[in-house]
Amino acid sequence: MRRHLAILVFALSVLSGATAFAAGGRKVQEFQEVEMTDEEREQAQNRGRHRVSRWQEEKQLPPETPFPWMFVGLCAAVLALAAPFAWGAYKRTSDELKEASAFGPQTPRRTRTRD
């Protein structure tokens, strides 16, 4: 565990030292403002605000389809009508299985007697 930690610390120190040499001895350049006309400045501001490209503006979206409330209502009505019949069939079947002893006769367990 300590060896892995030592390797990790060494790797991080090498990487952080390498970032200092990444610039290659170049000096930091000062910011120079680009001279723009009022029209160019306005166009640049509008480009930044509106991220929609011209292709997306011309693209026509498909019409939205409404939620199928009639289909949902019809399914709910069918389920409401079928539920009592299904419950009755379940009760009849379970009563028949109880009466028929579908799992075979239940025999008492034999107990060992002491001799």
Side-chain angles (χ1 to χ4, degrees):
M1 178 71 177
R2 288 185 183 194
R3 183 174 180 188
H4 294 295
L5 184 61
I7 291 172
L8 179 66
V9 169
F10 176 73
L12 288 176
S13 64
V14 168
L15 288 175
S16 63
T19 56
F21 296 111
R26 288 183 274 164
K27 293 182 180 179
V28 179
Q29 299 172 356
E30 291 188 24
F31 176 73
Q32 296 175 356
E33 186 177 353
V34 178
E35 295 294 327
M36 298 174 73
T37 64
D38 291 335
E39 294 173 359
E40 291 174 342
R41 191 172 293 127
E42 185 179 332
Q43 287 177 354
Q45 287 177 349
N46 287 336
R47 272 196 310 264
R49 284 189 201 142
H50 306 294
R51 296 181 184 223
V52 179
S53 68
R54 183 174 273 176
W55 176 80
Q56 289 174 334
E57 289 174 353
E58 294 172 0
K59 182 178 168 183
Q60 292 184 1
L61 298 174
E64 293 185 18
T65 56
F67 189 77
W69 287 109
M70 187 173 272
F71 178 72
V72 171
L74 181 64
C75 288
V78 167
L79 285 174
L81 289 174
F85 296 107
W87 181 255
Y90 167 75
K91 292 299 277 182
R92 280 192 308 273
T93 306
S94 64
D95 289 341
E96 289 175 6
L97 287 175
K98 284 180 186 175
E99 291 173 6
S101 291
F103 299 107
Q106 298 292 328
T107 58
R109 287 179 51 173
R110 291 187 188 177
T111 57
R112 261 191 169 170
T113 57
R114 283 189 161 175
D115 290 336

